[in-house]
């Protein structure tokens, strides 16, 4: 694995995505959040602060997921379709380096977008005089970045063997299932049929447990899990991303152009 080659791919992906004016989504976020906060001030007196905190963080997640699913789903498929992947891989660049570089590039874009939206978010809260639990919200946004990076890895994996549209649909499906996978364990305990119980547990193992990386609901109250739990969940996200990229690299290495 050559860090220079991976960095070159990541840098190229970062510039390419930004050229597609993805950065303009932060402007959409700013306008939407300002309108939402203004509206809430009129109709939700007394609860405006709490709802504003929720809406702002949820908006970041929605925009981040949109980029991870729609852009990530087409990153590899587009290269294969245009045959540019063949040109790149014919050079001293392994397919694993290609996949990892793509992932680092889109992850950098997601972190950049979240950084800009966080500044907008805190600025609007200050403008409205809403006191925010800064430390817990920053922690939640950092974990959101990890969650979105994981979803980008999911999108890249699907993009190896399916079209951009199918990859996007599958990625969003995994996101939805991932937020409910934690409930599958509780569901399996209430099921009496042995085969069904095993099937439910297998589903839990296959789908990422995204509830481990979702701190939004706790953060708006200034609450966070204890440090060991945070560290464990962070490691869970990193390991899951590594496994997804390993599978994507393996499938991509067997793909014929």
């Amino acid at each position: 694995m050559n860090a220079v080659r991976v960095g070159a791919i990541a840098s190229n992906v970062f510039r390419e995505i930004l050229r597609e004016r993805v950065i303009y989504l932060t402007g959409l976020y700013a306008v939407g959040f300002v309108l939402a906060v203004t509206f809430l001030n009129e109709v939700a007196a007394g609860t405006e602060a709490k709802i504003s905190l929720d809406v702002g963080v949820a908006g970041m997640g929605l925009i981040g997921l949109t980029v991870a699913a729609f852009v990530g789903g087409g990153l590899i498929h587009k290269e294969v379709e245009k045959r540019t992947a063949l040109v790149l891989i014919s050079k001293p660049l392994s397919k694993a380096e290609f996949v990892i570089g793509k992932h680092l590039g889109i992850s950098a874009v997601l972190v950049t977008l979240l950084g800009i939206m966080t500044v907008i978010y805190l600025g609007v809260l200050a403008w409205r005089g809403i006191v925010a639990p800064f430390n817990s919200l920053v922690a939640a946004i950092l974990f959101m970045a990890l969650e979105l990076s994981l979803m980008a890895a999911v999108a890249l994996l699907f993009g190896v063997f399916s079209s951009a549209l199918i990859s996007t649909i599958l990625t969003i499906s995994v996101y939805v299932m991932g937020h409910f996978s934690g409930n599958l364990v509780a569901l399996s305990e209430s099921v009496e049929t042995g085969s069904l119980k095993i099937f439910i547990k297998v589903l839990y193992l296959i789908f990422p447990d995204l509830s481990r990386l979702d701190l939004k609901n706790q953060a708006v109250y200034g609450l966070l899990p204890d440090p060991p739990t945070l560290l464990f969940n962070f490691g869970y996200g990193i390991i899951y991303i590594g496994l997804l990229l390993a599978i994507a690299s393996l499938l991509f290495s067997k793909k014929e152009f």
Side-chain angles (χ1 to χ4, degrees):
M1 185 71 63
N2 186 295
V4 174
R5 292 197 292 263
V6 171
I9 293 292
S11 177
N12 182 65
V13 169
F14 182 82
R15 292 194 302 268
E16 181 184 337
I17 295 175
L18 291 186
R19 278 199 298 267
E20 294 177 356
R21 297 179 175 82
V22 168
I23 203 75
Y24 289 174
L25 289 173
T26 59
L28 177 64
Y29 172 80
V31 172
F33 188 41
V34 168
L35 290 176
V37 169
T38 303
F39 176 74
L40 289 170
N41 186 50
E42 299 295 329
V43 302
T47 59
E48 174 204 357
K50 165 63 172 60
I51 300 176
S52 296
L53 291 172
D54 279 333
V55 168
V57 179
M60 290 187 215
L62 179 61
I63 288 178
L65 176 63
T66 300
V67 174
F70 282 86
V71 178
L75 275 181
I76 292 181
H77 179 76
K78 182 172 62 176
E79 297 278 12
V80 173
E81 197 172 53
K82 292 182 178 179
R83 316 294 289 181
T84 51
L86 181 60
V87 176
L88 289 170
I89 294 170
S90 64
K91 299 177 180 181
L93 176 73
S94 72
K95 292 182 178 180
E97 290 170 342
F98 181 78
V99 171
I100 293 171
K102 290 284 186 183
H103 180 260
L104 289 177
I106 188 171
S107 294
V109 170
L110 291 167
V111 169
T112 300
L113 291 177
L114 282 179
I116 296 172
M117 288 189 289
T118 299
V119 172
I120 294 170
Y121 176 67
L122 295 175
V124 172
L125 293 180
W127 166 59
R128 298 300 304 182
I130 298 173
V131 178
F134 181 80
N135 291 337
S136 60
L137 283 173
V138 169
I141 293 167
L142 288 174
F143 270 78
M144 182 188 295
L146 180 61
E147 179 185 19
L148 293 175
S149 180
L150 192 155
M151 296 316 301
V154 170
L156 286 172
L157 172 59
F158 288 135
V160 170
F161 58 83
S162 62
S163 68
L165 178 60
I166 297 299
S167 299
T168 300
I169 294 172
L170 291 174
T171 300
I172 294 174
S173 299
V174 169
Y175 179 83
V176 173
M177 283 296 297
H179 278 278
F180 286 101
S181 65
N183 298 325
L184 291 176
V185 175
L187 177 62
S188 68
E189 297 302 324
S190 63
V191 173
E192 297 182 358
T193 307
S195 57
L196 181 57
K197 180 179 292 189
I198 293 173
F199 175 72
I200 293 173
K201 289 185 176 180
V202 169
L203 282 180
Y204 173 75
L205 293 174
I206 292 175
F207 287 98
D209 185 359
L210 296 180
S211 63
R212 295 176 180 271
L213 308 179
D214 185 5
L215 306 180
K216 296 190 295 292
N217 293 334
Q218 296 166 288
V220 296
Y221 291 104
L223 303 174
L224 286 175
D226 57 84
T229 300
L230 286 175
L231 185 60
F232 179 83
N233 291 343
F234 188 84
Y236 172 86
I238 295 295
I239 291 171
Y240 211 104
I241 290 171
L243 289 173
L244 289 170
L245 294 179
I247 296 170
S249 299
L250 178 62
L251 293 177
F252 193 54
S253 67
K254 296 182 180 300
K255 193 173 184 66
E256 296 183 0
F257 297 95

